[in-house]
Amino acid sequence: GNFGWQPFSPSLEPEIAGETGANLIYDGAGVGSSPATARFFNAAWDFKSATGAAQNGLVLTISASAKQTATRMSWIGLVDSGTGLDVGFYDTVPAPGGLAFSFTDVAVGLSYTDWHRVEMTIEFVDGFGPGTAEGVAGNDIVKVYVNGELKHTGTTWETFYRYAELEGSPPAFTTRGVDSL
């Protein structure tokens, strides 16, 4: 599906977070028209079950992104597991043959009736991390907090875009800027 048609938070305009050279993609004026002006992106939201009970099949994803585009730079999922609300996170990592998505349970079994808070901070770091046998890992730093406690430190999806775009000839990799969820 296309994620660009889903609801987005208000934009941080005129602030755009990203690495040096990062731009908003599909920002209505074309690639490169809105350069990054900040190295950090911070977001927080509160949630609880609307019914106070299990809601089979409930899934909600929240991603740092350029507003109105499918170009996400992170992935946090809220899922009803039947025994509570779970928070998960996907990193993109190098793997044999290219790329893998690595899932982490950040918090599980959260109460249906209590309010919970998720906070996400992203520090955009220029370039990529050290090479591995599988390739080059992203070096941006994403921290996910649940109810005030640091639960996971990971990276953005820069590795995904690096592998997806460098397969072409000539290489066309561009870093992504974000301004909303």
Side-chain angles (χ1 to χ4, degrees), residues 12 39 49 61 64 76-77 164:
L12 296 174
R39 292 287 185 171
S49 169
T61 61
I76 294 176

Side-chain angles (χ1 to χ4, degrees), residues 157-177:
W157 283 31
E158 72 178 323
T159 305
F160 170 79
Y161 294 111
R162 176 183 171 86
Y163 280 98
E165 292 181 358
L166 290 182
E167 290 177 359
S169 180
F173 175 74
T174 55
T175 59
R176 273 34 179 192

Side-chain angles (χ1 to χ4, degrees), residues 4 26 95 152 178:
Y26 307 123
H152 181 72
V178 300

Side-chain angles (χ1 to χ4, degrees), residues 73-89:
M73 284 298 285
S74 66
W75 188 100
I76 294 176
L78 306 178
V79 178
D80 187 335
S81 64
T83 58
L85 298 169
D86 298 349
V87 179
F89 183 83

